[in-house]
Amino acid sequence: MATTSSMFMYSLTIQPPTSVTQAILGQFAGTKEQQIVTASGSRLTIHKPDPTQGKISTILSQDVFGIIRTLAAFRLAGSNKDYIIIGSDSGRITIIEYVPAQNRFNRLHLETFGKSGIRRVIPGQYLAVDPKGRACLIASAEKNKLVYVLNRNAQAELTISSPLEAHKPQTLVFALVGLDVGYENPIFAVLEVDYTECDQDPTGQAFEEVEKTLVYYELDLGLNHVVRKWSDPVDRTASMLLQVPGGSDGPSGVLVCGLDNITYRHSNQDAFRVPIPRRRGVTENPERKRCITAGVMHRMRGAFFFLLQSEDGDLFKVTIDMVEDDNGQPTGEVKRLKIKYFDTVPIASTLCILKSGFLFVASETGNHHFYQFEKLGDDDNETEHDSDDFPSDPTEPYTAVYFHPRASENVNLVESIDSMNPQLDCKVANLTDEDAPQIYSICGSGARSSFRMLKHGLEVNDIVDSELPSVPAAVWTTKITRHDVFDAYIVLSFDNGTLVLSIGETVEEVTDTGFLSSASTLAVQQLGEDALIQVHPKGIRHIRADRRVNEWPVPQHRSIVAATTNERQVAVALSSGEIVYFEMDSDGSLAEYDEKREMSGTVTCLSLAEVPEGRVRSQFLAVGCDDSTVRILSLDPESTLENKSVQALTSAPSALSIMAMPDSTSGGSTLYLHIGLYSGVYLRTVLDEITGELSDTRTRFLGPKPAKLFKVSVKGEPAVLALSSRSWLGYSDPQTKNFMLTPLNYVPLEWGSNFSSEQCTEGMVGIQGQNLRIFSIEKLGSNLLQESIPLTYTPRKFVRHPEYPLFYTIESENNTLSIATKQKLLNDRTVVNGDGATLPPEEFGYPRAQGHWASCIHVVDPINAKSTLQQIDLEDNEAATTIAAVSFASQSDETFLVIGTGKDVSVNPRSSSAGFIYIYRFLEDGKELEFIHKTRTEQPPSALLAFQGRLLAGIGTELRIYDLGLKQVLRKCQAQVVPNLIVGLQTQGSRIIVSDVQESIVYVAYKHQENRLIPFVDDVVARWTTCTTMVDYETVAGGDKFGNLWLLRCPQKASEEADEDGSGAHLVHERQYLQGAPNRLALMCHFYPQDIPTSMQKTQLVAGGRDVLVWTGLQGTLGILVPFVSREDVDFFQTLEQHLRGEDAPLAGRDHLIYRSYYVPVKGMIDGDLCERYSMLPNDKKQMIAGELDRSVREIERKISLTESNRICAHVWHTDLHNSYSNSVC
């Protein structure tokens, strides 16, 4: 990295890409349950389907710091575990396994075969394995194919051979699959085109006649080489191969999927061909041919079938009939191929059928879906078409077949998994007046697109909400005996009494429990084997199993002000400032320690930890006093109630909790003291289990109310429920074991406790005002909450109302019938293609029509109505291209909505018949739009912006300034400032930043006196700009379509000259440099995050915090760039990065530094995603790196977590920056 950069940023991924490029199924954990492994950009994720609940949960997600191009699962003969092969851009083949005991991926083999990067002739694009796990073939898009033999050695370890070549020059590969041939020599089927003659024929005749062939490559295991065994021409439109079961299960061979047809092919069988059924309907074009985009084969006992998906999302069930012998047994010879309509699901990149009867659909766009099979479509009324009625020769004509789409009958949706792919625009704003802003995003495509609001928090499942007779002060749950599985009582404390409810099929009041009902309660505990404890202000009530009650009364004129208990110990604080300590004897009775410990001030709170396993007592008692201190007292018999350590606080403590929690630093569990203050601040500090010393204090502000803390359990792990003006949960991340403190998406609670019953095995009970609430937290893995509002078409851009919490989206869909055209067809009686039934577009998509556009404008209210308030459809084949809210000075600074559209737009090559600028007025506080007028332009406006009380518009290569007239907008100024197409505008003062579609950005100065627009600085690199934002007056951050992020800065001298008063003549006459502007921008930072940036915004993620850059990626990525303010921190993180590159090499074999420098060497950036991997390293490697950095492991982890203080989700979006050290990264 160029350390000479004067600016450094910390790059962090908040939400990894949610698009799934490929999914594979297998028993990767070595158990009978199947798991799903998905590839999302550079991230490999393993999911665990739960067939009983019909849900999918993420077990492990890891960034491989390389582009995952293809995945395959294989299993060695006789094994019960599947391995994963990764084809990536590293020029290496990688074999990994999932290790469930350590919850991590383990790399077994890494074999280099070529250069890194995605290249035409370097294998990695296609990957296929032999069904018996004996070999794999990895191929490039052209020429090269390598076969690796997979085996095991004498130690039963997986081995991989040297590669065997199967190259064929001047050959393009379109598809690749392993044939099922039993235990004969492995065979791979490949779709190839030999372009040798096309290359040598300038007339193009050879190209018209070129054939696509199906080729079999056989690996001879005896001679250890690969031969071309068989080849035969297939349909020229063929693009996909599917393996047909062989051996005893089927005839072997492949299904070849082409345009409008599916053909069965095998070297020793006849060809059988069926057409792909087309939709029947008034709005459907009967001549439009479909192709297969995804498919899956599923074996059942003695049978198999295929589910193939067309580009409309329709699933077709394909089966093969075989010739039977005299005994009715299949002979292996194919008789016919059959196809019928099955159901319609979202268009998928991959389909997976689980043995448990579920279908996983990894959607191309929008949410991924998890379906359950209701039936297999054998007994429905759908017409089945077979190959007997159709010629096998692809050149012969045939009659098209049709079907009526219908609602799903065979599969039932059980879970929808959130995905924001494609994410097209994003805004960060705090519209709900919370302590952290929300992220508003438009994503998805077609009728499955949506407007989403994201906020930081955990999803809460509300189970019971019951009103109580009066307002309780506290609540506890307790078992009756130590061995009970579920809680027996809910104990509610009121100001003047206690109410006990029994937990069963119903919750009802009980009075014979032994609890004192006439006094309020301070603590409840199940003690020893079968006793209960109730602490009330006047004493301690010890209730035995036989209902005998022992009462310890407080000394005269005193009362208990605080209490803490565990299963063997009780400690209470008296109003006189004395601590009284009790411990359980061997006979089950409570014994009071002889001496009382007098504290210097009034005790506000106490805490005992749970008794560790194998011990008879907890070692320490934490005491909080109103003199703003917390003291740790020893409970060791030899030094009972002696002071061990003290911590001074900024405010009096309101709650304490000592808990042992999993810890990433030690790899085991660590004892923590959680402290809540009356000021609403929460502290977590490490409590040394031997000395009682307190160290490594982390601080967070929860809210203005005093913080209360409660020990709870979530997913079997200890957690802390922290209550202030909001409810929070502190827990260990399931994957990294880092401590997380996340707000709950729930009402503010006053008190909380664990809750366990037969109906809710792991929940919590809480008090909210006069209501008793029981709830559970299901998902800890995702702490970014999403609320979704459906949109009509693919959203392009959106803007926020300057005053009200409303947004305005523009949506447009290419090659789609508009509402008016669709209605005209439905009303036309002469149309004969089917009936007039309209299908819901959310499930079946919109009717396609070449050259047509459907487009609309939406008013969206994400806060109050949580829906769209108004829809305005555009007519005359217009498509909305850009949008802005503009305040016109000529109209008394009234704000109008300005929308740019194009008519008859063609995307490639770029053309249109006209463009328009629409003006709308806001009515009803922005909830309605009123059309004012529209102005015709030569080309569609591609960027609009408010500028000094007028409208700034980018139209083609020209930058124009318009003012608002009565009948149209009036052009005031224009200049040609870019060579290709303006795609973005930003402004500060009189400076305008103009983005070109492929020539980076240009700085333009507007001279008011002369009414001129003058470009004065541009870039040296041709960047294909997708988004930009101004960081400061001189600096611009942006992204390009190749997946780069960069910061560019204007030279100081050029900036000052551009701002000089006058006509700007000195800028106009300054000598141009290489046919561009006179000056050049300097590159400050550059980074390759791998996703295409679609929006970027400078914002604050915490009130009063430092500005950060939030960017979004097309595949659903959310990331931030955080500026460093200390050179010392930059040096520290650069050194840490360097060590991690060596000690934690990327899984797929890609060099990390080269990966982040894909197009331009990385500059001025620290990779936070790599630094985060430190906490997941083995302890010995952590210690080694810590030694090299001359720091402790805990210090490094603290520094990383403080660096993430502006992170939105996975760690601490919400960290209180005032409590971070001031020189840290913010």
Side-chain angles (χ1 to χ4, degrees):
M1 180 183 284
T3 54
T4 53
S5 177
S6 60
M7 177 187 282
F8 277 87
M9 308 286 277
Y10 188 83
S11 170
L12 205 56
T13 302
I14 291 163
Q15 175 177 280
T18 52
S19 71
V20 173
T21 50
Q22 192 180 351
I24 55 172
L25 201 58
Q27 295 170 342
F28 303 107
T31 58
K32 288 185 178 178
E33 290 84 25
Q34 288 179 301
Q35 292 85 32
I36 300 168
V37 170
T38 59
S40 304
S42 63
R43 192 164 285 266
L44 196 66
T45 308
I46 184 163
H47 308 268
K48 177 185 175 184
D50 185 347
T52 55
Q53 295 186 332
K55 292 189 179 297
I56 287 188
S57 56
T58 302
I59 308 174
L60 174 65
S61 184
Q62 182 172 333
D63 199 329
V64 302
F65 300 107
I67 298 170
I68 302 172
R69 299 164 74 186
T70 181
L71 292 174
F74 76 96
R75 181 187 305 193
L76 294 172
S79 170
N80 64 345
K81 181 173 186 172
D82 288 323
Y83 298 96
I84 303 163
I85 305 179
I86 303 174
S88 68
D89 61 340
S90 63
R92 297 163 164 185
I93 187 168
T94 313
I95 300 180
I96 63 170
E97 66 171 337
Y98 171 63
V99 185
Q102 299 167 352
N103 192 29
R104 66 182 184 88
F105 292 118
N106 180 35
R107 191 167 67 200
L108 300 174
H109 289 285
L110 184 66
E111 298 295 322
T112 306
F113 52 70
K115 293 179 179 178
S116 62
I118 296 176
R119 301 165 192 261
R120 203 173 56 172
V121 295
I122 301 297
Q125 186 64 31
Y126 300 101
L127 178 64
V129 293
D130 170 59
K132 299 297 180 188
R134 298 169 297 169
C136 70
L137 188 152
I138 187 164
S140 58
E142 183 183 339
K143 182 185 176 185
N144 294 332
K145 301 177 196 70
L146 298 172
V147 177
Y148 288 89
V149 180
L150 305 164
N151 213 328
R152 53 162 74 91
N153 59 17
Q155 288 78 41
E157 295 168 338
L158 175 69
T159 61
I160 185 168
S161 70
S162 298
L164 304 172
E165 294 182 354
H167 304 335
K168 188 169 188 297
Q170 295 186 307
T171 301
L172 298 175
V173 175
F174 286 83
L176 173 65
V177 73
L179 247 62
D180 189 348
V181 291
Y183 285 101
E184 295 178 16
N185 280 338
I187 295 176
F188 298 95
V190 186
L191 270 182
E192 291 183 352
V193 167
D194 188 329
Y195 66 83
T196 310
E197 293 179 10
C198 302
D199 245 11
Q200 296 163 357
D201 176 20
T203 65
Q205 183 67 27
F207 173 74
E208 296 298 327
E209 296 170 358
V210 72
E211 287 185 333
K212 191 172 281 186
T213 53
L214 176 65
V215 185
Y216 280 8
Y217 287 88
E218 181 179 10
L219 166 64
D220 191 318
L221 291 169
L223 299 174
N224 207 31
H225 74 124
V226 184
V227 293
R228 278 170 70 96
K229 186 179 181 183
W230 175 76
S231 73
D232 204 34
V234 293
D235 183 2
R236 190 171 165 170
T237 63
S239 58
M240 182 183 282
L241 296 175
L242 283 114
Q243 171 200 107
V244 176
S248 59
D249 297 329
S252 190
V254 291
L255 288 186
V256 182
C257 303
L259 184 65
D260 209 40
N261 71 89
I262 298 160
T263 312
Y264 168 78
R265 297 303 304 267
H266 195 31
S267 56
N268 60 1
Q269 303 258 13
D270 293 332
F272 296 89
R273 183 160 166 257
V274 290
I276 299 171
R278 305 174 190 176
R279 286 186 179 182
R280 192 180 290 283
V282 176
T283 56
E284 294 291 340
N285 177 3
E287 299 303 315
R288 186 165 71 87
K289 298 178 178 180
R290 272 71 168 176
C291 61
I292 297 298
T293 57
V296 62
M297 183 269 295
H298 184 61
R299 298 174 196 248
M300 300 175 294
R301 197 162 292 169
F304 64 89
F305 66 88
F306 297 86
L307 282 185
L308 305 182
Q309 188 181 44
S310 74
E311 67 215 66
D312 293 332
D314 300 320
L315 289 177
F316 300 100
K317 184 179 180 181
V318 176
T319 51
I320 295 175
D321 283 355
M322 286 186 278
V323 176
E324 295 179 350
D325 59 18
D326 297 338
N327 300 323
Q329 296 297 315
T331 59
E333 184 182 344
V334 175
K335 186 177 179 183
R336 68 175 65 87
L337 190 62
K338 297 194 291 189
I339 187 169
K340 67 190 287 193
Y341 174 60
F342 187 76
D343 262 338
T344 301
V345 299
I347 300 168
S349 58
T350 310
L351 298 168
C352 297
I353 298 179
L354 283 71
K355 289 177 184 173
S356 51
F358 288 88
L359 170 69
F360 176 66
V361 177
S363 303
E364 273 194 359
T365 65
N367 291 354
H368 309 300
H369 284 180
F370 195 47
Y371 293 91
Q372 184 166 17
F373 282 100
E374 299 292 331
K375 51 189 173 60
L376 293 177
D378 298 324
D379 54 352
D380 55 20
N381 299 321
E382 293 295 334
T383 307
E384 194 164 51
H385 309 280
D386 62 47
S387 54
D388 294 347
D389 303 330
F390 300 95
S392 59
D393 185 348
T395 59
E396 288 189 37
Y398 59 89
T399 307
V401 297
Y402 296 89
F403 72 97
H404 285 284
R406 50 156 171 77
S408 293
E409 292 178 357
N410 300 307
V411 292
N412 174 39
L413 180 64
V414 289
E415 188 179 20
S416 180
I417 300 138
D418 283 336
S419 170
M420 294 176 65
N421 168 54
Q423 186 171 217
L424 296 148
D425 202 358
C426 175
K427 303 271 187 274
V428 180
N430 190 0
L431 303 185
T432 56
D433 293 328
E434 294 179 4
D435 56 352
Q438 304 83 49
I439 293 178
Y440 299 91
S441 179
I442 48 172
C443 47
S445 68
R448 299 184 67 237
S449 55
S450 58
F451 180 102
R452 302 205 183 190
M453 181 176 88
L454 288 83
K455 65 176 183 178
H456 185 241
L458 287 173
E459 197 173 338
V460 173
N461 179 23
D462 209 349
I463 300 167
V464 172
D465 180 7
S466 175
E467 194 172 346
L468 296 166
S470 60
V471 178
V475 63
W476 294 270
T477 56
T478 181
K479 301 171 182 176
I480 294 178
T481 69
R482 188 158 66 94
H483 301 291
D484 286 355
V485 178
F486 302 119
D487 292 323
Y489 298 136
I490 296 175
V491 182
L492 290 158
S493 173
F494 297 88
D495 290 340
N496 56 357
T498 297
L499 178 68
V500 183
L501 306 174
S502 72
I503 303 169
E505 288 186 13
T506 60
V507 175
E508 52 195 15
E509 185 181 348
V510 286
T511 55
D512 58 347
T513 55
F515 283 94
L516 184 66
S517 59
S518 59
S520 60
T521 301
L522 297 173
V524 172
Q525 175 74 44
Q526 191 278 315
L527 193 75
E529 290 295 322
D530 52 12
L532 295 171
I533 284 285
Q534 178 192 15
V535 182
H536 54 90
K538 291 300 176 186
I540 300 173
R541 197 172 177 87
H542 185 190
I543 306 160
R544 298 296 190 104
D546 55 7
R547 292 291 183 267
R548 283 186 298 133
V549 174
N550 295 335
E551 186 90 31
W552 178 85
V554 297
Q556 207 171 3
H557 307 305
R558 295 175 201 172
S559 61
I560 298 173
V561 292
T564 180
T565 62
N566 62 28
E567 57 267 37
R568 294 189 57 86
Q569 296 160 286
V570 179
V572 296
L574 304 181
S575 51
S576 57
E578 295 168 303
I579 303 287
V580 187
Y581 170 61
F582 302 83
E583 201 169 298
M584 196 177 77
D585 278 346
S586 54
D587 63 351
S589 61
L590 272 182
E592 181 185 349
Y593 179 64
D594 297 339
E595 295 177 25
K596 296 181 178 66
R597 168 71 191 262
E598 188 137 355
M599 305 306 292
S600 55
T602 303
V603 177
T604 57
C605 48
L606 299 169
S607 179
L608 281 165
E610 298 293 323
V611 178
E613 203 170 327
R615 301 276 184 92
V616 294
R617 67 179 63 82
S618 175
Q619 292 288 326
F620 302 111
L621 171 67
V623 182
C625 298
D626 62 358
D627 58 358
S628 300
T629 60
V630 170
R631 288 178 168 77
I632 302 299
L633 306 183
S634 170
L635 297 179
D636 193 280
E638 295 171 7
S639 57
T640 309
L641 299 182
E642 279 187 15
N643 210 36
K644 283 287 183 183
S645 61
V646 64
Q647 177 151 340
L649 306 168
T650 56
S651 166
S654 55
L656 297 172
S657 182
I658 302 176
M659 293 173 68
M661 296 181 78
D663 179 26
S664 61
T665 306
S666 63
S669 79
T670 298
L671 204 59
Y672 290 103
L673 172 63
H674 304 270
I675 307 169
L677 305 185
Y678 276 100
S679 58
V681 172
Y682 159 85
L683 298 91
R684 179 180 67 105
T685 183
V686 176
L687 175 57
D688 191 294
E689 296 182 34
I690 297 165
T691 64
E693 291 292 326
L694 297 171
S695 61
D696 188 24
T697 303
R698 313 274 178 99
T699 318
R700 275 298 321 283
F701 179 69
L702 303 183
K705 287 187 178 179
K708 297 174 186 171
L709 306 175
F710 306 95
K711 297 174 193 172
V712 292
S713 173
V714 180
K715 298 292 179 194
E717 295 284 356
V720 59
L721 182 66
L723 306 178
S724 178
S725 53
R726 285 175 81 184
S727 305
W728 302 71
L729 187 76
Y731 59 98
S732 298
D733 183 271
Q735 192 174 321
T736 63
K737 301 303 178 193
N738 287 331
F739 182 76
M740 319 270 278
L741 190 63
T742 310
L744 301 182
N745 186 32
Y746 204 50
V747 294
L749 299 173
E750 280 91 48
W751 201 274
S753 177
N754 255 340
F755 178 83
S756 179
S757 70
E758 287 184 37
Q759 292 78 18
C760 173
T761 52
E762 193 177 59
M764 296 177 210
V765 59
I767 292 169
Q768 180 237 340
Q770 203 172 326
N771 289 24
L772 182 72
R773 287 179 174 264
I774 298 173
F775 59 95
S776 64
I777 296 166
E778 302 292 335
K779 293 181 182 176
L780 288 181
S782 169
N783 50 12
L784 206 56
L785 295 164
Q786 294 190 17
E787 287 183 20
S788 183
I789 298 169
L791 299 175
T792 306
Y793 306 117
T794 303
R796 304 296 173 176
K797 289 180 181 173
F798 75 126
V799 292
R800 182 193 159 195
H801 192 285
E803 296 172 39
Y804 302 105
L806 298 169
F807 290 91
Y808 305 89
T809 66
I810 51 169
E811 301 153 41
S812 56
E813 202 69 44
N814 195 9
N815 297 333
T816 301
L817 286 179
S818 67
I819 289 178
T821 314
K822 192 161 61 175
Q823 199 59 47
K824 188 178 170 185
L825 282 171
L826 289 169
N827 297 335
D828 189 350
R829 300 291 177 193
T830 61
V831 178
V832 292
N833 185 28
D835 52 30
T838 53
L839 299 164
E842 306 81 45
E843 294 177 36
F844 297 93
Y846 291 108
R848 307 280 183 89
Q850 196 68 30
H852 285 255
W853 283 89
S855 187
C856 72
I857 304 158
H858 266 133
V859 181
V860 182
D861 181 358
I863 306 301
N864 301 315
K866 298 194 175 180
S867 65
T868 54
L869 303 179
Q870 185 185 10
Q871 177 172 333
I872 301 170
D873 289 295
L874 299 181
E875 298 174 352
D876 296 334
N877 206 30
E878 286 183 43
T881 55
T882 184
I883 185 170
V886 180
S887 171
F888 286 99
S890 60
Q891 302 292 318
S892 306
D893 288 332
E894 184 183 348
T895 303
F896 292 82
L897 189 68
V898 185
I899 288 165
T901 70
K903 185 176 181 183
D904 305 324
V905 176
S906 171
V907 179
N908 190 19
R910 194 185 306 131
S911 68
S912 62
S913 60
F916 295 96
I917 296 174
Y918 282 75
I919 304 291
Y920 288 92
R921 176 176 268 122
F922 295 116
L923 301 178
E924 302 289 330
D925 295 337
K927 292 176 184 175
E928 285 184 21
L929 297 175
E930 179 190 34
F931 174 70
I932 304 296
H933 56 62
K934 70 176 183 178
T935 308
R936 188 184 180 96
T937 57
E938 313 86 74
Q939 294 183 53
S942 49
L944 299 172
L945 187 69
F947 177 70
Q948 296 185 355
R950 295 193 285 186
L951 170 66
L952 192 66
I955 299 172
T957 60
E958 291 185 346
L959 183 64
R960 296 179 182 175
I961 296 177
Y962 287 97
D963 208 342
L964 187 62
L966 289 175
K967 294 189 176 179
Q968 64 175 34
V969 289
L970 309 172
R971 190 189 314 180
K972 297 294 183 184
C973 175
Q974 76 173 39
Q976 186 173 333
V977 295
V978 298
N980 299 294
L981 176 72
I982 295 172
V983 292
L985 296 169
Q986 303 286 332
T987 183
Q988 275 189 29
S990 294
R991 180 168 297 178
I992 303 162
I993 312 298
V994 183
S995 311
D996 183 74
V997 69
Q998 69 182 70
E999 290 290 343
S1000 192
I1001 57 175
V1002 178
Y1003 280 44
V1004 177
Y1006 175 63
K1007 295 299 178 182
H1008 194 270
Q1009 294 174 348
E1010 297 286 314
N1011 194 28
R1012 291 188 73 171
L1013 292 162
I1014 307 168
F1016 66 92
V1017 61
D1018 59 14
D1019 200 2
V1020 291
V1021 177
R1023 305 180 200 279
W1024 292 67
T1025 318
T1026 55
C1027 61
T1028 54
T1029 190
M1030 292 190 77
V1031 178
D1032 56 40
Y1033 193 58
E1034 263 96 31
T1035 314
V1036 172
D1040 62 44
K1041 78 169 197 177
F1042 294 103
N1044 297 299
L1045 292 171
W1046 30 263
L1047 271 85
L1048 302 171
R1049 181 168 284 171
C1050 175
Q1052 186 75 29
K1053 186 182 176 189
S1055 178
E1056 289 169 358
E1057 284 177 0
D1059 287 344
E1060 286 176 9
D1061 292 337
S1063 64
H1066 61 292
L1067 293 177
V1068 176
H1069 299 302
E1070 198 168 351
R1071 186 181 169 189
Q1072 289 189 343
Y1073 180 66
L1074 296 176
Q1075 300 176 343
N1079 302 290
R1080 291 292 179 266
L1081 295 165
L1083 180 67
M1084 304 305 295
C1085 299
H1086 202 284
F1087 190 69
Y1088 176 73
Q1090 211 256 299
D1091 201 354
I1092 299 168
T1094 54
S1095 77
M1096 187 174 271
Q1097 185 177 348
K1098 186 173 89 164
T1099 186
Q1100 293 176 358
L1101 293 180
V1102 279
R1106 192 175 289 274
D1107 282 337
V1108 298
L1109 291 174
V1110 176
W1111 68 274
T1112 59
L1114 185 72
Q1115 298 176 69
T1117 310
L1118 281 171
I1120 57 171
L1121 302 176
V1122 189
F1124 280 92
V1125 294
S1126 152
R1127 183 73 211 191
E1128 179 195 342
D1129 289 330
V1130 173
D1131 295 340
F1132 168 81
F1133 280 103
Q1134 280 185 326
T1135 314
L1136 178 62
E1137 259 192 324
Q1138 188 181 332
H1139 285 296
L1140 285 167
R1141 285 186 190 121
E1143 297 302 325
D1144 187 36
L1147 194 65
R1150 189 79 163 111
D1151 183 281
H1152 175 268
L1153 190 60
I1154 296 173
Y1155 168 67
R1156 290 303 191 198
S1157 310
Y1158 225 105
Y1159 296 95
V1160 174
V1162 63
K1163 180 180 181 181
M1165 285 278 189
I1166 300 294
D1167 187 358
D1169 297 338
L1170 178 67
C1171 295
E1172 266 198 334
R1173 296 277 310 156
Y1174 179 78
S1175 64
M1176 303 180 72
L1177 290 178
N1179 263 345
D1180 55 338
K1181 287 191 176 181
K1182 280 189 193 176
Q1183 296 286 0
M1184 194 264 295
I1185 293 173
E1188 293 283 338
L1189 292 171
D1190 199 23
R1191 294 173 186 254
S1192 70
V1193 173
R1194 202 172 286 282
E1195 272 183 288
I1196 294 174
E1197 291 195 344
R1198 174 189 170 90
K1199 203 156 177 93
I1200 293 169
S1201 71
L1202 285 172
T1203 304
E1204 293 162 7
S1205 59
N1206 269 314
R1207 184 165 187 171
I1208 296 191
C1209 69
H1211 287 267
V1212 278
W1213 176 2
H1214 33 51
T1215 298
D1216 180 27
L1217 287 168
H1218 304 296
N1219 295 309
S1220 302
Y1221 51 55
S1222 57
N1223 285 330
S1224 165
V1225 181
C1226 292

